[in-house]
Amino acid sequence: MYTLPELPYDYAALSPYISADIMKLHHDKHHQGYVDKLNAALDSGDPSLKAIDLPQLLGRADLPMAVRNQGGGHYNHALFWQWMAPSAGGEPTGRLAERIEQKFGSFQAFTDEFSSRANNVFGSGWAWLMPDMEIVTTPNQDTPMLLGKAEPLLGLDVWEHAYYLDYKNVRADYVKAWWDIVNWQFVQERYNNLSA
Ligand code: MN3
């Protein structure tokens, strides 16, 4: 049975970039909903699916739609909380910083490209940075694994529920502000693990 992970900081910790109201709603209602519906879908479906690791499971093309959507929702949000932190932002350092510069020319060029891709996701979805430095977007709660790709290094939730209370319908303002709370330390740890 999947369970809702606790936020690694207070609801208000990411304010003013993301308000306590959004964090509470997003974590306690939306993410809890994905967990509950994932468990219900697994309970009423093929029992062999319960034995498969979630990242692996989400790479399967033949999943029941409820498992794909709710499982993706749980996986994506469990990481999303960790991709943000109070007093974060800035730029990565070390191997990851070098790789970003090598691929995009500069950190600024990377954030410009990623922001542009995130802003252009039609409807609800996610933007991802992959361990090979590819930028990918997916609709709904689909993960990069569903496209046959690796687990993502970094991801941004661009569903309206992630920003509407703070930024109304102006997704670009949310995307711009988000860079100030990206937890590069966590992204760097993932890079070291995923690209080793
Ligand atoms: Mn969300």
Side-chain angles (χ1 to χ4, degrees), residues 10 23 28 51 56 63 82 106-107 118 145 183 185-186 189:
D10 292 341
M23 291 304 291
D28 294 9
Q56 247 193 312
L63 282 181
Q82 302 176 79
S106 67
F107 180 73
M145 295 85 83
N183 183 356
Q185 196 182 326
F186 178 65
E189 284 163 22

Side-chain angles (χ1 to χ4, degrees), residues 26 34 77 126 141 157 159 161-162:
H26 202 175
Y34 299 128
H77 288 83
W126 291 73
Q141 296 295 354
D157 183 348
W159 283 56
H161 69 221

Side-chain angles (χ1 to χ4, degrees), residues 110-128 135-138 156-160 163 167-179:
F110 156 67
T111 58
D112 288 350
E113 171 73 15
F114 187 99
S115 297
S116 164
R117 295 290 301 277
N119 286 328
N120 283 301
V121 171
F122 181 77
S124 297
W126 291 73
W128 311 100
I135 296 171
V136 172
T137 64
T138 55
L156 174 57
D157 183 348
V158 294
W159 283 56
E160 270 192 353
Y163 61 88
Y167 298 94
K168 301 292 184 251
N169 60 328
V170 188
R171 183 191 290 177
D173 288 352
Y174 157 71
V175 170
K176 187 163 183 280
W178 182 71
W179 294 109

